[in-house]
C-alpha cells in the first residue's frame, strides 16, 4: 500500500514537472506563432498606400522573430543558426525598415512644424517622394519573399522546443540577456559616440523583446538594476534619440539635393536643424546619465 502511494506521488510529481515544462515551452512557441501571424497579416496590409501602422507592426514582429532565433540558437547548441535564418527575411526586413524610417521622419517633421509654427513644404515633399520610392521597393521585397519560409521555421522551432526542460528555458534566456549586456559594456567603454549608442540601442531593444518572449521572467532588476517598466522607458528614449539622429542625416541629404534657398528659407531650415540637433544632444546626455547612474554600465 505504501509503495503504491509512493508510486502515485512520484507519478504525480513527474506529470507536474512535464506540465510546467510544456507551459514555458508553449509560451515561447506561442510567441513565435503570434508574431508569425502578425507578419502574415501585415505583409498584406503593408502593400496598401495608407500603411504606416502595418509597416510599423511588421517591422516590430520581424525584430521579435530575430531575437527569438538568437534564443533558439542558444538552446539548440546552434542546430539553428540565427544569422543563417535571418538571411531569409533580410530583404523584407531592410526594405520595411527603410520605409518605416521615412514614415517616422514625416511624423517627426509634423511635430517640429507645430512647435516652430513653420511649414517646411519642400522638405515634406522630399520625404513624401522618398516614401513613394520606399513603398515600391517594399512591394518588390514582398514579391521576392518566400511565403512558405515561416512554415518551415515553425516546424524546426517546434521540434527543438519539445525536448527542452523548463529550467533550461529560463537559464538560457538569462544567459542571452547577460551576453547582450556584456556586448553593451564593451561597446560603451570602447568608444562613447553616436555610432556606438546606435549599437547599444539595438542590444537593449533585443533584451526588451527577449523579456517579452518569456513573459517578463528575466531577472532584469538583478542584472540591469532597473525594473521592467524602466527598461521599456529606456527603449523609448533610445528610439526618440535615434529618430533625431536619423532626421539630421535626411536633412543633410535634402539640403545637398535642393540647390539654393532664398535667405528666409535658409534661415528656417537652419532653425529646424538647430532645434533637432539641440534635442538630440540633450537626449544623448540623458541616456548617458541613465547608463552610468541607473544601469551602471
Amino acid at each position: 500500500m505504501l509503495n503504491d502511494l509512493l508510486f502515485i506521488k512520484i507519478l504525480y510529481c513527474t506529470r507536474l514537472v512535464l506540465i510546467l515544462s510544456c507551459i514555458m515551452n508553449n509560451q515561447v512557441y506561442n510567441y513565435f506563432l503570434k508574431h508569425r501571424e502578425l507578419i502574415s497579416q501585415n505583409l498584406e496590409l503593408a502593400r496598401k498606400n495608407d500603411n504606416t501602422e502595418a509597416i510599423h507592426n511588421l517591422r516590430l514582429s520581424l525584430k521579435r522573430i530575430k531575437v527569438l532565433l538568437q534564443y533558439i540558437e542558444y538552446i539548440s547548441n546552434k542546430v539553428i543558426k540565427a544569422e543563417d535564418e535571418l538571411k531569409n527575411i533580410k530583404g523584407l526586413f531592410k526594405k520595411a525598415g527603410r520605409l518605416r524610417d521615412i514614415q517616422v521622419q514625416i511624423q517627426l517633421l509634423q511635430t517640429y512644424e507645430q512647435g516652430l509654427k513653420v511649414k517646411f513644404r519642400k522638405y515634406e515633399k522630399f520625404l513624401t517622394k522618398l516614401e513613394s520610392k520606399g513603398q515600391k521597393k517594399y512591394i518588390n521585397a514582398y514579391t521576392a519573399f518566400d511565403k512558405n519560409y515561416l512554415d518551415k521555421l515553425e516546424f524546426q522551432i517546434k521540434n527543438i522546443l519539445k525536448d527542452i526542460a523548463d529550467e533550461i528555458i529560463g537559464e538560457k534566456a538569462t544567459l542571452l540577456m547577460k551576453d547582450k549586456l556584456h556586448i553593451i559594456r564593451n561597446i560603451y567603454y570602447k568608444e562613447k559616440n553616436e555610432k556606438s549608442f546606435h549599437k547599444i540601442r539595438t542590444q537593449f531593444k533585443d533584451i526588451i523583446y527577449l523579456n517579452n518572449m518569456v513573459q517578463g521572467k528575466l531577472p532584469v532588476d538583478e542584472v540591469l538594476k532597473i525594473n521592467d517598466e524602466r527598461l521599456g522607458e529606456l527603449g523609448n528614449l533610445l528610439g526618440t534619440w535615434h529618430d533625431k539622429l536619423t532626421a539630421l542625416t535626411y536633412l543633410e541629404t535634402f539640403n545637398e539635393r535642393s540647390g539654393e534657398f532664398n535667405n528666409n528659407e535658409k534661415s528656417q531650415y537652419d532653425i529646424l536643424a538647430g532645434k533637432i540637433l539641440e534635442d538630440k544632444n540633450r537626449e544623448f546626455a540623458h541616456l548617458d546619465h541613465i547608463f552610468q547612474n541607473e544601469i551602471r554600465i
Side-chain angles (χ1 to χ4, degrees), residues 224-240:
L224 297 178
K225 314 302 180 187
I226 56 176
N227 60 27
D228 290 1
E229 183 178 356
R230 185 57 169 161
L231 178 61
E233 289 173 358
L234 176 59
N236 291 332
L237 289 170
L238 284 161
T240 56

Side-chain angles (χ1 to χ4, degrees), residues 44 97 104 110 172 184 199 215 226 229 241-242 277 290:
E44 293 296 329
V104 166
Q110 292 169 351
K172 292 294 186 180
I184 288 168
K199 294 176 182 177
Q215 299 191 348
I226 56 176
E229 183 178 356
W241 164 78
H242 184 260
L277 180 63
I290 293 172

